Amino acid sequence: MDHFRRLQELLRIEREADKEAYLALTRSSSAAQRRANGITWYPVAIRGTELSRAEYITVEVERTTHTDVAHQLRFGASAMLFSNHNAAEYHIEGTLTYVGGDRLKLQLRTDELPEWAHDGKLGIDLLFDDNSYDQMQAALRQALSTDERTPTGRHIRILTGQIAPTFNTSLPPYHHTRLNPSQQAAVNNILQAQELAIVHGPPGTGKTTTLVQAINALIAQGAPRILVTAPSNTAVDLLAEKLSGEGLSVLRVGSPARVSERLLSLTLDSKIAAHSSVKEMKRLKKQAAEFKDMAHKYKRSFGRAEREQRKALFDEAHKIMKDVGRMEQYIIDDIIARTQIVAATLVGANHYTVRDLHYPIVVIDEAGQAIEPACWIPILKGDKVILAGDHCQLPPTIKSDEAARAGLAHTLFERCIALYPQAVTLLQEQYRMHLHIMGYSARVFYEDRLKAHTSVAHHLLAPGEAPLTFIDTAGCGHDEQADDTSISNPEEAALLFKHLTRMLTGIAPHYTGTTMPSVAVISPYKAQLYVLEEQLQHATELQPYIRSISVNTIDSFQGQERDIVYISMTRSNTDANIGFLSDIRRMNVALTRARKKLVIIGDSATLAAHPFYAGLIAYTEAVGAYKSAWEENWSD
């Protein structure tokens, strides 16, 4: 089909752009620079080794310094163990099989550690992620070659817009006391769908709660096993934890982003360790390792008898490891047979332990943030797909502008919502925001169909404390500063913390030290983030509240919420240039994170050239939330 051939070409373009960006980041850079960019752990110490599948050795390492530096190392990614004594020569590639806290496991493509691994100055480099692209291209090839007369072929025709999905409306209606009417409608739509159901969940509407109850109902309806996926580990973790909390048997494939005892207990490693047959498997592994150690003690200059003895020891080790492999597969098969929910990222759904499984139902959460080729990896493993997300929030991250413009930025979720409104249920009641905080987003993005639940519609930080404020810095001379990569505005940041200090001081009498409201300070720009972080550390009057305050970019804050949110818009220039603020979905995320108080600080002269921001400013005026920095003396 032309659709899949076009996706193959767009994915090829994206892969090239992604690889070029990676090479630009790593070419001629030091280990310290790569560490700062989040693609290297250095230094690391080896904490243990073990023989694994195919008789490869798996090495466990721990980063011993710079443990607070954020990184991009993830389960399933390709990585390299290197020695900084001579990184060009001393390195060996492998696959990350576990990443948690400050430890990771790397399965090396060898059966023993190289000699240089014992000399210190070791590090782990993240390699370019060829695997994800290979898996996506393989899924597109499979879709292309599938006979359209098969059930999978029919599924493909529906998801590419050739035939409409069907529903079994004769099923009895589903009722659950914990769900509101639109959530119950979504669950009913999921149960009745034969091939496709879509849950459109705006911020705070309980999308996760709805999905969990729908999955519970599907299991009760007789589904033997369900594949639950999402683009990010964080989203997978949330669903896995909630589903496990419902008493379902969950297998978390891959490494959780959050290292908690509950999540770790859902992983394959943990379940294997708890299996009744694992003691025998460990005994055999230890025996094989001992035979290999004995073989390695023979030096290179030995006679025929020693050579034969060495070979016999290796042969015996290989024989034992084959038994280990068979036993490990038996344990994995037994665990999967007793699993109701397999939870993985989109690419992780192709992990070797579950690659060949077929599922009656596939769930893709946060589908609005997933590029379409990645979605086909889990979809081709199922008979019915449930898409959940919100295409009015952040889109997928795409490195190639060319691929994005040509259609890679247009998600499967968006296309199916446009094609099949009968498959879509909009969750209409939100449980997060005061109605004034919600109002503008509800109007622009959700056709005013979004309503605030009575428990949050009028909640305030303190009596008389307005829920929404726009502070207009126009005319204050708070001009933005630009460097090669980002934008900052130190004077706007200073104004923000001045306002935050006064506000927290004003509401403090209504709270105790341990119950002070949580605060997020967010900005679209990384350079402004660094300015905000630095100023916060030096804001003496805010130090008593510092534990309650977090600073982050808007993109990093999707899915989170706080009692109070400050948005530093940052842009202020005479050309009315707002850069990527013109992606209003990003701003929808920012506007919908606050529960009780939202403060927006920006220059109306710059922002209002864009219709969305002109409308936002007009909305704040209409609800009495507009303030001029000049009039309020915030510009002092």
Side-chain angles (χ1 to χ4, degrees):
M1 291 172 59
D2 288 344
H3 176 74
F4 292 109
R5 291 190 184 92
R6 184 174 62 85
L7 285 178
Q8 284 180 314
E9 176 59 18
L10 294 179
L11 194 60
R12 184 193 63 78
I13 294 169
E14 172 68 2
R15 182 182 199 151
E16 289 178 359
D18 195 5
K19 191 163 191 172
E20 184 54 40
Y22 173 84
L23 292 174
L25 198 62
T26 58
R27 197 181 285 127
S28 303
S29 60
S30 67
Q33 290 168 327
R34 297 195 304 276
R35 180 178 60 206
N37 287 323
I39 57 175
T40 293
W41 281 15
Y42 181 80
V44 300
I46 293 176
R47 298 306 186 202
T49 60
E50 62 181 18
L51 288 173
S52 55
R53 292 177 71 89
E55 298 181 53
Y56 289 151
I57 193 169
T58 293
V59 58
E60 181 177 6
V61 307
E62 180 179 17
R63 58 174 174 173
T64 53
T65 66
H66 300 84
T67 55
D68 59 334
V69 177
H71 65 90
Q72 302 171 40
L73 279 68
R74 298 289 181 265
F75 166 84
S78 296
M80 179 173 71
L81 176 69
F82 69 90
S83 165
N84 220 27
H85 287 297
N86 185 355
E89 183 179 344
Y90 296 160
H91 61 264
I92 185 168
E93 295 184 4
T95 303
L96 294 172
T97 58
Y98 170 80
V99 182
D102 294 314
R103 293 206 177 201
L104 61 77
K105 292 182 180 180
L106 181 66
Q107 185 185 71
L108 302 173
R109 290 159 197 165
T110 182
D111 62 354
E112 59 181 312
L113 277 176
E115 287 296 324
W116 52 260
H118 305 287
D119 297 333
K121 296 188 74 172
L122 299 178
I124 300 287
D125 265 345
L126 183 67
L127 299 176
F128 179 71
D129 187 13
D130 276 310
N131 177 60
S132 293
Y133 287 102
D134 289 343
Q135 300 286 358
M136 286 188 277
Q137 287 287 10
L140 295 176
R141 286 195 299 272
Q142 183 183 341
L144 259 174
S145 63
T146 299
D147 188 336
E148 66 177 26
R149 294 167 295 185
T150 64
T152 303
R154 172 178 168 77
H155 206 188
I156 290 170
R157 291 170 68 203
I158 289 169
L159 292 172
T160 52
Q162 299 175 66
I163 54 175
T166 58
F167 297 83
N168 179 7
T169 55
S170 65
L171 291 174
Y174 171 86
H175 293 290
H176 195 293
T177 54
R178 283 165 52 190
L179 301 183
N180 65 41
S182 65
Q183 290 172 333
Q184 293 201 121
V187 175
N188 276 306
N189 199 42
I190 287 169
L191 294 175
Q192 294 173 3
Q194 303 285 80
E195 305 92 2
L196 173 67
I198 302 170
V199 180
H200 182 187
T205 54
K207 171 173 62 67
T208 301
T209 297
T210 304
L211 279 181
V212 167
Q213 293 309 319
I215 291 166
N216 242 333
L218 288 164
I219 293 289
Q221 199 182 61
R225 189 183 298 121
I226 296 174
L227 175 60
V228 175
T229 66
S232 71
N233 277 298
T234 303
V236 176
D237 289 348
L238 177 61
L239 275 171
E241 201 163 21
K242 296 284 187 184
L243 289 164
S244 177
E246 292 286 316
L248 297 173
S249 172
V250 179
L251 173 62
R252 172 67 167 94
V253 176
S255 301
R258 293 184 292 113
V259 181
S260 69
E261 186 175 338
R262 184 162 184 175
L263 274 170
L264 287 176
S265 70
L266 306 179
T267 63
L268 187 61
D269 283 351
S270 177
K271 289 176 183 282
I272 288 174
H275 196 274
S276 58
S277 299
V278 78
K279 284 185 179 178
E280 176 62 12
M281 188 176 75
K282 283 184 175 179
R283 186 188 70 78
L284 290 172
K285 273 190 176 182
K286 183 180 179 182
Q287 190 177 7
E290 287 171 353
F291 279 126
K292 285 202 168 189
D293 286 344
M294 289 167 64
H296 287 308
K297 287 177 182 176
Y298 287 97
K299 304 300 179 185
R300 294 194 178 277
S301 55
F302 50 74
R304 179 178 176 184
E306 288 85 356
R307 189 160 45 248
E308 288 178 354
Q309 181 64 17
R310 176 184 167 105
K311 182 179 184 302
L313 289 167
F314 272 126
D315 287 346
E316 189 61 27
H318 292 328
K319 181 182 174 184
I320 293 171
M321 284 308 295
K322 284 182 179 179
D323 290 338
V324 169
R326 283 190 288 268
M327 185 169 288
E328 184 181 36
Q329 193 58 55
Y330 160 75
I331 294 172
I332 290 169
D333 291 344
D334 188 46
I335 290 168
I336 289 172
R338 292 184 277 114
T339 294
Q340 295 170 299
I341 308 294
V342 175
T345 60
L346 299 172
V347 175
N350 241 10
H351 186 254
Y352 76 89
T353 54
V354 294
R355 181 181 296 136
D356 298 325
L357 292 181
H358 192 82
Y359 308 83
I361 297 152
V362 171
V363 177
I364 302 179
D365 193 16
E366 302 296 356
Q369 293 183 62
I371 61 172
E372 183 172 343
C375 291
W376 285 103
I377 297 171
I379 285 172
L380 292 172
K381 299 177 184 297
D383 302 317
K384 165 174 157 178
V385 64
I386 300 160
L387 302 176
D390 183 11
H391 56 299
C392 301
Q393 295 188 63
L394 288 179
T397 300
I398 297 175
K399 301 288 177 64
S400 167
D401 291 338
E402 179 187 353
R405 287 193 301 270
L408 195 60
H410 191 63
T411 64
L412 177 70
F413 186 75
E414 288 176 278
R415 189 175 75 246
C416 288
I417 278 187
L419 283 171
Y420 306 124
Q422 72 273 29
V424 182
T425 308
L426 174 70
L427 303 182
Q428 297 181 27
E429 197 163 22
Q430 64 85 13
Y431 296 82
R432 177 184 298 166
M433 298 163 275
H434 187 284
L435 59 87
H436 284 176
I437 297 173
M438 175 200 76
Y440 188 62
S441 282
R443 178 192 304 170
V444 174
F445 295 101
Y446 308 110
E447 301 173 333
D448 266 335
R449 295 169 64 193
L450 192 61
K451 307 300 176 188
H453 187 263
T454 53
S455 63
V456 301
H458 301 285
H459 63 181
L460 299 170
L461 279 175
E465 184 68 41
L468 176 65
T469 303
F470 178 85
I471 300 176
D472 187 0
T473 63
C476 293
H478 295 178
D479 295 337
E480 66 188 53
Q481 299 177 9
D483 61 25
D484 292 340
T485 58
S486 192
I487 307 289
S488 64
N489 194 323
E491 290 174 302
E492 182 176 287
L495 186 154
L496 184 153
F497 286 123
K498 185 177 180 182
H499 187 277
L500 176 59
T501 300
R502 289 192 195 177
M503 194 268 294
L504 290 178
T505 303
I507 66 169
H510 298 278
Y511 296 89
T512 66
T514 57
T515 63
M516 279 297 287
S518 56
V519 182
V521 179
I522 59 178
S523 171
Y525 294 95
K526 283 188 176 179
Q528 183 70 346
L529 169 66
Y530 301 142
V531 170
L532 290 164
E533 288 175 333
E534 183 180 5
Q535 290 195 12
L536 177 60
Q537 294 305 315
H538 294 91
T540 306
E541 293 177 274
L542 284 174
Q543 296 313 301
Y545 314 111
I546 196 84
R547 289 188 176 183
S548 303
I549 303 171
S550 59
V551 180
N552 224 324
T553 60
I554 292 172
D555 290 21
S556 300
F557 210 66
Q558 176 149 330
Q560 299 186 53
E561 58 185 70
R562 296 290 189 275
D563 295 315
I564 304 163
V565 172
Y566 276 71
I567 308 173
S568 172
M569 302 297 284
T570 308
R571 300 309 299 255
S572 180
N573 55 72
T574 56
D575 302 321
N577 180 8
I578 62 170
F580 66 32
L581 283 186
S582 56
D583 181 355
I584 60 174
R585 290 179 294 182
R586 177 173 277 108
M587 193 48 53
N588 186 34
V589 172
L591 295 175
T592 54
R593 301 303 100 194
R595 300 185 192 110
K596 298 179 180 180
K597 176 87 177 181
L598 173 63
V599 181
I600 308 163
I601 301 177
D603 180 350
S604 67
T606 300
L607 298 173
H610 192 288
F612 174 83
Y613 296 102
L616 173 61
I617 294 165
Y619 171 79
T620 62
E621 290 176 327
V623 297
Y626 175 88
K627 307 290 182 185
S628 165
W630 280 107
E631 294 170 8
E632 301 294 319
N633 292 323
W634 291 114
S635 58
D636 294 346

